[in-house]
Amino acid sequence: MRAPVHELRSLYERRTLRQDSGMVTSEYAVGIIAAVGLAAVLYKVLTSGQVAGELQDIVKRALSVRM
């Protein structure tokens, strides 16, 4: 009676391992590509003229505050 249960568990474990192989690597790759894309967009936005000017104004106002 124990042999069929053991065989089913072994079969389930083999199927699970086979289906998941490579998934972690592909998920990391997609995550890295998304992070690089977001970083590129953020870099473009922050280095654009209007945003750079606004950031400089914020810093100037923060430094000129009297304490």
Side-chain angles (χ1 to χ4, degrees):
M1 200 64 151
R2 296 185 109 195
V5 172
H6 179 68
E7 288 180 25
L8 284 175
R9 182 181 298 163
S10 178
L11 177 64
Y12 173 75
E13 288 172 354
R14 282 192 308 245
R15 282 185 149 183
T16 303
L17 291 174
R18 187 175 35 212
Q19 290 173 351
D20 288 343
S21 65
M23 288 297 291
V24 174
T25 304
S26 64
E27 289 171 354
Y28 280 127
V30 170
I32 289 171
I33 290 169
V36 169
L38 180 62
V41 169
L42 186 60
Y43 176 77
K44 281 294 198 181
V45 168
L46 291 178
T47 57
S48 69
Q50 184 178 0
V51 174
E54 293 293 328
L55 289 174
Q56 287 177 354
D57 288 342
I58 291 171
V59 171
K60 285 179 184 176
R61 279 188 275 145
L63 293 176
S64 66
V65 172
R66 293 184 185 212
M67 295 187 147

